[in-house]
Amino acid sequence: MLTIQKLISLLEPEHLREFKANLESTGNTLPLRLVDTLEKVNPLTVESDDLCKAVYGDIEEKTRKKFFQLAHYTFRLSSFLARRYPFYLTHNIALIERKFNSGKQEESLLYAENLLDIALKTEDFSTQTWVLKFLINFSHIREKRKEAIRQQQLLNEALRNEAVVNEIQLYIREHLNFKDKKNLTASYSDTHLQFFAQFHDHPCFSARMISKYGSVYTLSFLDDSKFYLPEVRKDLEELIDEIEKHNYVIFPFSDNILLNVDYLHLKHTIRDMNEEEVVREATRITRKWNTLRFWQNHINTAQIVSLSIQASYFITHYCICYKENYREQIPAHIRDNIDETVGICKNLIEQMKEEKDAHVRYINLNNIYCMLLLLCGKDKIKESVDTLEALMINYQQIPFQKLYDAIFANLIIGYFSLDDQNGVSECYRRYEKLTAHRSKIEENDVTIKTFYYVSQFRQTGRDQYVDKIKTLLHEISDKSELSSTAQLIRDLCHYYKVPVEVISKSA
């Protein structure tokens, strides 16, 4: 019996309708025809040749080979169910129980064995646990000792695998958390990497994937420069490929990890993209995960990730808000994209006001919004600064230290662009105090220091600030991921006639 036959027999009507609707909306015509055929017959008794003929019209050897490939591909498309409905198999537990108690023992046994097969393939540990306990006792009653032992071994393996996955998840929640008040420096990278590495070859697929994600996420979260090494990009690409090949595996309530894998890969490759490619990739991530997220009606994380990517790109490449009439110097199509993104941000902020406990996400979304406002004219820059200062006051009891450098980067750009040099100095002083001994995103740290040094040079004319800027440029000169930041520094210094050698030589 084909795996897809077992799967369709185990779906309740609502999930089957949703699955078919997804196949239709994504243009999977032949998989939809196969599922439609299985729905019309008894999926557990129909012969594969009959299915092949119904889909392709004949059962020649070449056609049958195509059919079996289609059957496998259609099962892989159940990733929609795995992501959107991570407990889509569990209703069968009650069904098996009812059949067994009504005297239909053989039928209940068949359903249980099929359910176990799909639960093993999808690594649905909770379903495996129940059905194996049922089958163990069934085998014991029928005095099938060897079978009972084999099933007990499977049960113990399922429990161990689930325990390992939970252990990795717990480690991520405890040590790589935005609300952590400590352990936010790159010095902890090796400790975290050693923990995750012990599971990279684990026999359980989800344990391997989450542990490998943990490794690359550690480098990104702690702003470790090793994140941008070529081997990390290779690790991310292999991780994406493996998850895609086994996309039917269920990661219950861990869809944020799967979404983050896409985000981390984009973070690694974004410096090689133009604005059209950035917007296209950000939109792709939004569309993909808006469909495939269990939590999509709770907090639209995919949309926030997309907005963050676009805002970061815009501010890095068009940070000229310190100039007069700077809006006119930004290409018209970019201005339109920025304005559209601002509108989306504003609507999301209104929606998230109802999410009373999602403080860090709310602060992050407001910061993205304020970053975009810096590119929308002098009046909007003032709104950006006022909003960010209000966030710092209203949420001072909420631990969001990991966002400090991003917020202060926007604040110092805002104060500088408003020609409020006292505001720039006070902002820098607070930044240094609040982020002392903590890991910082280098791009943000360099940006903050540059605007402060240029501000001080404009006020004092002292060469020490020129030297500090030169040092910054030297430190990032060989870091390709910071090439746009280096250009931002050069443009800023050129505009205010800061006598940095790199500028004078290239001017």
Side-chain angles (χ1 to χ4, degrees):
M1 187 187 303
L2 298 171
T3 300
I4 189 63
Q5 292 177 249
K6 297 177 184 179
L7 175 69
I8 298 304
S9 74
L10 295 169
L11 295 183
E12 60 182 351
E14 180 184 353
H15 289 156
L16 181 56
R17 283 196 303 272
E18 291 284 337
F19 184 38
K20 289 173 58 178
N22 180 257
L23 293 176
E24 184 174 13
S25 67
T26 54
N28 284 288
T29 306
L30 288 176
L32 178 59
R33 189 181 301 172
L34 174 57
V35 173
D36 274 336
T37 303
L38 286 169
E39 185 183 18
K40 293 172 184 175
V41 299
N42 184 339
L44 297 180
T45 59
V46 64
E47 295 294 331
S48 58
D49 280 354
D50 293 333
L51 290 172
C52 179
K53 191 168 185 178
V55 174
Y56 287 107
D58 65 74
I59 54 172
E60 294 179 4
E61 187 61 30
K62 186 177 179 181
T63 305
R64 292 177 77 250
K65 185 177 179 180
K66 284 197 301 183
F67 170 74
F68 288 123
Q69 290 174 340
L70 173 67
H72 176 69
Y73 176 69
T74 305
F75 175 70
R76 282 185 55 196
L77 293 175
S78 67
S79 59
F80 168 76
L81 297 170
R83 305 288 178 262
R84 193 72 184 87
Y85 304 102
F87 287 131
Y88 72 89
L89 291 173
T90 55
H91 74 280
N92 289 286
I93 294 172
L95 176 64
I96 291 168
E97 185 181 69
R98 285 197 300 271
K99 288 181 179 297
F100 185 80
N101 286 334
S102 63
K104 301 177 181 178
Q105 294 187 358
E106 294 304 320
E107 191 175 347
S108 69
L109 178 61
L110 176 61
Y111 265 90
E113 289 173 342
N114 288 341
L115 180 60
L116 176 61
D117 185 44
I118 300 299
L120 288 169
K121 284 184 170 62
T122 60
E123 295 197 354
D124 182 350
F125 301 121
S126 58
T127 301
Q128 287 179 39
T129 299
W130 185 91
V131 74
L132 280 166
K133 289 178 179 179
F134 170 80
L135 289 172
I136 289 165
N137 281 283
F138 200 97
S139 297
H140 177 70
I141 290 169
R142 292 193 167 182
E143 299 183 4
K144 295 184 176 181
R145 177 176 175 272
K146 289 184 178 180
E147 185 65 6
I149 292 173
R150 185 187 71 83
Q151 292 163 344
Q152 186 70 57
Q153 290 169 338
L154 282 175
L155 173 60
N156 292 352
E157 182 181 358
L159 293 171
R160 284 194 299 269
N161 288 340
E162 185 173 36
V164 167
V165 169
N166 289 338
E167 182 182 356
I168 300 171
Q169 292 271 46
L170 175 61
Y171 193 93
I172 292 172
R173 303 284 185 248
E174 283 187 329
H175 300 283
L176 300 170
N177 194 301
F178 272 90
K179 286 193 172 184
D180 200 351
K181 294 184 178 181
K182 55 183 181 178
N183 303 339
L184 293 179
T185 65
S187 61
Y188 289 90
S189 287
D190 288 344
T191 300
H192 299 336
L193 292 175
Q194 287 173 15
F195 172 82
F196 293 121
Q198 65 183 310
F199 304 108
H200 284 181
D201 296 317
H202 197 276
C204 172
F205 176 80
S206 51
R208 290 199 307 276
M209 295 302 102
I210 297 176
S211 69
K212 289 180 179 180
Y213 160 79
S215 292
V216 292
Y217 183 57
T218 291
L219 298 176
S220 173
F221 184 82
L222 296 180
D223 306 309
D224 192 314
S225 59
K226 293 193 291 293
F227 174 77
Y228 289 100
L229 292 174
E231 51 263 40
V232 175
R233 182 186 293 203
K234 182 181 177 183
D235 289 342
L236 280 164
E237 290 170 351
E238 289 177 354
L239 187 56
I240 290 172
D241 286 344
E242 282 299 304
I243 290 173
E244 184 60 31
K245 287 176 186 175
H246 302 84
N247 55 4
Y248 48 82
V249 171
I250 295 172
F251 291 77
F253 306 129
S254 299
D255 63 356
N256 58 313
I257 286 176
L258 303 176
L259 187 160
N260 276 351
V261 170
D262 275 350
Y263 167 71
L264 292 174
H265 182 256
L266 180 54
K267 178 180 176 180
H268 204 294
T269 58
I270 195 170
R271 64 181 185 270
D272 301 326
M273 298 179 176
N274 59 38
E275 56 250 26
E276 182 180 345
E277 291 169 329
V278 170
V279 172
R280 183 170 64 243
E281 186 63 13
T283 302
R284 183 193 69 80
I285 290 176
T286 300
R287 288 174 178 168
K288 173 182 177 181
W289 291 107
N290 274 353
T291 303
L292 296 179
R293 295 192 72 242
F294 175 83
W295 301 107
Q296 70 175 23
N297 294 321
H298 182 58
I299 293 176
N300 198 329
T301 309
Q303 184 76 72
I304 295 173
V305 166
S306 174
L307 293 170
S308 174
I309 293 166
Q310 294 177 70
S312 178
Y313 182 87
F314 290 142
I315 197 68
T316 300
H317 289 79
Y318 300 98
C319 186
I320 55 173
C321 42
Y322 49 84
K323 298 182 180 181
E324 291 297 323
N325 302 317
Y326 70 93
R327 277 279 288 183
E328 286 70 25
Q329 298 178 47
I330 299 175
H333 72 284
I334 296 297
R335 292 202 303 269
D336 291 342
N337 283 338
I338 290 169
D339 293 343
E340 181 182 356
T341 311
V342 165
I344 295 171
C345 269
K346 197 169 185 177
N347 290 334
L348 270 178
I349 288 170
E350 287 300 313
Q351 294 171 23
M352 282 194 68
K353 286 179 179 178
E354 302 301 319
E355 297 287 344
K356 302 188 187 313
D357 298 320
H359 299 304
V360 175
R361 286 186 178 88
Y362 184 73
I363 293 167
N364 185 39
L365 181 58
N366 271 277
N367 189 48
I368 294 168
Y369 175 65
C370 290
M371 187 190 307
L372 292 163
L373 289 181
L374 294 173
L375 305 176
C376 295
K378 294 294 183 180
D379 290 342
K380 294 299 182 182
I381 294 176
K382 181 68 166 60
E383 179 186 342
S384 173
V385 168
D386 291 344
T387 301
L388 290 171
E389 290 290 10
L391 283 174
M392 297 294 287
I393 294 171
N394 296 335
Y395 292 93
Q396 57 185 305
Q397 301 303 319
I398 302 297
F400 60 97
Q401 284 83 352
K402 199 69 176 63
L403 298 177
Y404 278 166
D405 61 324
I407 291 174
F408 278 110
N410 292 331
L411 267 176
I412 207 163
I413 293 171
Y415 280 122
F416 187 97
S417 301
L418 294 171
D419 203 23
D420 183 350
Q421 305 309 324
N422 289 333
V424 171
S425 297
E426 177 62 18
C427 183
Y428 184 74
R429 185 191 65 78
R430 289 154 60 200
Y431 167 71
E432 286 292 295
K433 179 180 178 181
L434 290 173
T435 62
H437 310 299
R438 297 187 186 278
S439 178
K440 307 166 190 176
I441 296 176
E442 189 173 15
E443 180 180 4
N444 291 332
D445 187 56
V446 169
T447 300
I448 290 168
K449 288 176 177 175
T450 298
F451 275 89
Y452 173 69
Y453 295 154
V454 172
S455 173
Q456 290 298 300
F457 175 78
R458 290 176 63 199
Q459 294 179 78
T460 68
R462 292 176 183 170
D463 289 341
Q464 69 185 72
Y465 296 109
V466 178
D467 292 338
K468 288 177 182 291
I469 296 172
K470 288 180 182 179
T471 300
L472 283 179
L473 279 170
H474 177 72
E475 289 174 348
I476 67 173
S477 62
D478 60 345
K479 298 180 179 180
S480 59
E481 70 273 13
L482 294 177
S483 59
S484 296
T485 306
Q487 186 59 47
L488 184 155
I489 296 174
R490 289 192 286 268
D491 290 345
L492 181 66
C493 290
H494 182 70
Y495 186 78
Y496 287 103
K497 297 180 172 58
V498 181
V500 180
E501 288 183 10
V502 174
I503 303 301
S504 61
K505 287 180 179 179
S506 61

